Tab-separated table of all heavy atoms in Angstrom:
chain	number	residue	atom	x	y	z
A	29	HIS	N	-19.643	16.021	-1.835
A	29	HIS	CA	-19.369	15.410	-0.519
A	29	HIS	C	-17.903	15.445	-0.089
A	29	HIS	O	-16.998	15.655	-0.884
A	29	HIS	CB	-19.901	13.972	-0.484
A	29	HIS	CG	-19.242	13.029	-1.461
A	29	HIS	ND1	-17.987	12.506	-1.268
A	29	HIS	CD2	-19.682	12.512	-2.633
A	29	HIS	CE1	-17.695	11.695	-2.281
A	29	HIS	NE2	-18.696	11.685	-3.124
A	33	ASP	N	-14.641	12.064	-4.539
A	33	ASP	CA	-14.107	11.051	-5.450
A	33	ASP	C	-14.332	11.515	-6.891
A	33	ASP	O	-14.740	12.656	-7.145
A	33	ASP	CB	-14.753	9.685	-5.164
A	33	ASP	CG	-16.280	9.750	-5.250
A	33	ASP	OD1	-16.823	10.745	-5.775
A	33	ASP	OD2	-16.937	8.797	-4.793
A	102	ASN	N	-26.553	12.631	-0.153
A	102	ASN	CA	-27.982	12.538	0.145
A	102	ASN	C	-28.392	13.182	1.452
A	102	ASN	O	-29.572	13.266	1.764
A	102	ASN	CB	-28.411	11.060	0.155
A	102	ASN	CG	-27.620	10.251	1.164
A	102	ASN	OD1	-26.635	10.734	1.723
A	102	ASN	ND2	-28.041	9.029	1.386
A	103	GLU	N	-27.405	13.594	2.244
A	103	GLU	CA	-27.781	14.234	3.512
A	103	GLU	C	-26.674	15.192	3.926
A	103	GLU	O	-25.491	14.970	3.622
A	103	GLU	CB	-28.047	13.199	4.607
A	103	GLU	CG	-26.950	12.185	4.785
A	103	GLU	CD	-27.218	11.214	5.927
A	103	GLU	OE1	-28.087	11.504	6.761
A	103	GLU	OE2	-26.544	10.191	5.988
A	105	LYS	N	-24.998	15.697	6.481
A	105	LYS	CA	-23.877	15.085	7.209
A	105	LYS	C	-22.689	14.772	6.294
A	105	LYS	O	-21.535	14.783	6.702
A	105	LYS	CB	-24.409	13.787	7.822
A	105	LYS	CG	-23.598	13.205	8.937
A	105	LYS	CD	-24.199	11.884	9.390
A	105	LYS	CE	-23.254	10.752	9.029
A	105	LYS	NZ	-23.758	9.428	9.117
A	106	ARG	N	-22.987	14.486	5.024
A	106	ARG	CA	-21.940	14.067	4.084
A	106	ARG	C	-21.052	15.231	3.627
A	106	ARG	O	-20.065	15.016	2.929
A	106	ARG	CB	-22.566	13.369	2.879
A	106	ARG	CG	-23.245	12.068	3.209
A	106	ARG	CD	-22.259	10.927	3.418
A	106	ARG	NE	-21.594	10.565	2.194
A	106	ARG	CZ	-20.297	10.295	2.091
A	106	ARG	NH1	-19.512	10.365	3.147
A	106	ARG	NH2	-19.771	9.976	0.933
A	127	HIS	N	-27.740	8.177	-4.233
A	127	HIS	CA	-27.694	7.367	-3.012
A	127	HIS	C	-29.109	7.151	-2.465
A	127	HIS	O	-30.009	7.931	-2.744
A	127	HIS	CB	-26.840	8.074	-1.949
A	127	HIS	CG	-25.400	8.167	-2.338
A	127	HIS	ND1	-24.880	9.253	-2.982
A	127	HIS	CD2	-24.396	7.294	-2.212
A	127	HIS	CE1	-23.590	9.050	-3.221
A	127	HIS	NE2	-23.274	7.859	-2.767
A	287	LYS	N	-11.606	5.884	9.363
A	287	LYS	CA	-12.459	5.814	8.158
A	287	LYS	C	-12.623	4.350	7.746
A	287	LYS	O	-11.650	3.597	7.704
A	287	LYS	CB	-11.794	6.637	7.046
A	287	LYS	CG	-12.507	6.595	5.728
A	287	LYS	CD	-13.809	7.386	5.749
A	287	LYS	CE	-14.689	7.010	4.566
A	287	LYS	NZ	-16.095	7.249	4.784
A	288	VAL	N	-13.836	3.998	7.442
A	288	VAL	CA	-14.118	2.613	7.066
A	288	VAL	C	-14.702	2.589	5.655
A	288	VAL	O	-15.654	3.316	5.352
A	288	VAL	CB	-15.121	1.974	8.062
A	288	VAL	CG1	-15.333	0.505	7.747
A	288	VAL	CG2	-14.634	2.136	9.499
A	289	SER	N	-14.099	1.787	4.787
A	289	SER	CA	-14.629	1.599	3.430
A	289	SER	C	-15.026	0.146	3.269
A	289	SER	O	-14.268	-0.750	3.666
A	289	SER	CB	-13.555	1.910	2.383
A	289	SER	OG	-13.440	3.271	2.193
A	290	LEU	N	-16.178	-0.069	2.679
A	290	LEU	CA	-16.669	-1.448	2.535
A	290	LEU	C	-17.064	-1.706	1.089
A	290	LEU	O	-17.661	-0.839	0.434
A	290	LEU	CB	-17.888	-1.685	3.444
A	290	LEU	CG	-17.740	-1.291	4.922
A	290	LEU	CD1	-18.197	0.139	5.161
A	290	LEU	CD2	-18.538	-2.221	5.803
A	291	ARG	N	-16.736	-2.887	0.599
A	291	ARG	CA	-17.135	-3.275	-0.753
A	291	ARG	C	-17.620	-4.718	-0.722
A	291	ARG	O	-17.124	-5.543	0.052
A	291	ARG	CB	-15.954	-3.203	-1.735
A	291	ARG	CG	-15.342	-1.827	-1.909
A	291	ARG	CD	-16.279	-0.869	-2.653
A	291	ARG	NE	-15.638	0.391	-2.905
A	291	ARG	CZ	-15.575	1.413	-2.051
A	291	ARG	NH1	-16.138	1.309	-0.855
A	291	ARG	NH2	-14.964	2.531	-2.373
A	307	ASN	N	-22.023	3.663	11.552
A	307	ASN	CA	-22.737	4.925	11.429
A	307	ASN	C	-22.671	5.474	10.002
A	307	ASN	O	-22.566	6.672	9.781
A	307	ASN	CB	-22.100	5.932	12.413
A	307	ASN	CG	-22.906	7.190	12.529
A	307	ASN	OD1	-24.132	7.152	12.391
A	307	ASN	ND2	-22.232	8.314	12.721
A	308	GLY	N	-22.671	4.562	9.032
A	308	GLY	CA	-22.479	5.007	7.648
A	308	GLY	C	-23.571	4.530	6.724
A	308	GLY	O	-24.716	4.337	7.140
A	309	GLY	N	-23.224	4.333	5.478
A	309	GLY	CA	-24.195	3.902	4.488
A	309	GLY	C	-23.579	3.940	3.111
A	309	GLY	O	-22.367	3.867	2.965
A	310	GLY	N	-24.418	4.081	2.109
A	310	GLY	CA	-23.920	4.109	0.733
A	310	GLY	C	-24.699	3.139	-0.123
A	310	GLY	O	-25.907	2.962	0.057
A	311	HIS	N	-24.008	2.498	-1.022
A	311	HIS	CA	-24.654	1.579	-1.960
A	311	HIS	C	-24.509	0.137	-1.475
A	311	HIS	O	-23.653	-0.152	-0.650
A	311	HIS	CB	-24.020	1.698	-3.340
A	311	HIS	CG	-23.897	3.111	-3.813
A	311	HIS	ND1	-24.963	3.817	-4.304
A	311	HIS	CD2	-22.842	3.954	-3.837
A	311	HIS	CE1	-24.559	5.024	-4.629
A	311	HIS	NE2	-23.280	5.147	-4.354
A	314	ALA	N	-20.942	-0.801	-2.390
A	314	ALA	CA	-19.864	0.160	-2.073
A	314	ALA	C	-20.381	1.131	-1.031
A	314	ALA	O	-21.285	1.916	-1.299
A	314	ALA	CB	-19.437	0.925	-3.320
A	315	SER	N	-19.825	1.035	0.162
A	315	SER	CA	-20.329	1.920	1.208
A	315	SER	C	-19.196	2.349	2.121
A	315	SER	O	-18.051	1.922	1.965
A	315	SER	CB	-21.438	1.218	1.998
A	315	SER	OG	-20.925	0.057	2.589
A	316	GLY	N	-19.522	3.206	3.053
A	316	GLY	CA	-18.482	3.709	3.949
A	316	GLY	C	-19.077	4.140	5.265
A	316	GLY	O	-20.295	4.216	5.426
A	317	GLY	N	-18.205	4.416	6.197
A	317	GLY	CA	-18.656	4.892	7.496
A	317	GLY	C	-17.480	5.429	8.289
A	317	GLY	O	-16.354	5.489	7.794
A	318	GLU	N	-17.780	5.849	9.494
A	318	GLU	CA	-16.754	6.423	10.361
A	318	GLU	C	-16.812	5.738	11.708
A	318	GLU	O	-17.866	5.268	12.126
A	318	GLU	CB	-17.037	7.910	10.582
A	318	GLU	CG	-16.769	8.753	9.387
A	318	GLU	CD	-17.498	10.095	9.489
A	318	GLU	OE1	-18.025	10.408	10.574
A	318	GLU	OE2	-17.528	10.795	8.471
A	349	ALA	N	-29.455	3.517	5.433
A	349	ALA	CA	-28.200	3.255	4.718
A	349	ALA	C	-27.876	4.338	3.715
A	349	ALA	O	-28.742	5.044	3.280
A	349	ALA	CB	-28.274	1.914	4.026
B	1	5GP	P1	-15.605	5.186	0.011
B	1	5GP	O1	-15.336	3.852	0.567
B	1	5GP	O2	-15.100	5.308	-1.381
B	1	5GP	O3	-15.211	6.300	0.922
B	1	5GP	O4	-17.186	5.308	-0.086
B	1	5GP	C1	-17.951	4.489	-0.901
B	1	5GP	C2	-19.378	4.981	-0.894
B	1	5GP	O5	-19.892	4.832	0.412
B	1	5GP	C3	-19.526	6.455	-1.208
B	1	5GP	O6	-19.793	6.661	-2.544
B	1	5GP	C4	-20.708	6.845	-0.385
B	1	5GP	O7	-21.862	6.460	-1.080
B	1	5GP	C5	-20.668	5.943	0.794
B	1	5GP	N1	-20.079	6.483	2.017
B	1	5GP	C6	-18.763	6.622	2.321
B	1	5GP	N2	-18.593	7.094	3.556
B	1	5GP	C7	-19.837	7.264	4.067
B	1	5GP	C8	-20.331	7.741	5.332
B	1	5GP	O8	-19.589	8.074	6.258
B	1	5GP	N3	-21.690	7.786	5.451
B	1	5GP	C9	-22.539	7.399	4.468
B	1	5GP	N4	-23.858	7.482	4.675
B	1	5GP	N5	-22.104	6.953	3.286
B	1	5GP	C10	-20.780	6.878	3.078
Side-chain angles (χ1 to χ4, degrees):
H29 63 76
D33 56 14
N102 58 350
E103 51 177 344
K105 198 183 112 193
R106 294 283 292 137
H127 294 93
K287 177 72 196 155
V288 185
S289 280
L290 309 91
R291 299 290 185 275
N307 190 31
H311 311 283
S315 60
E318 288 161 11

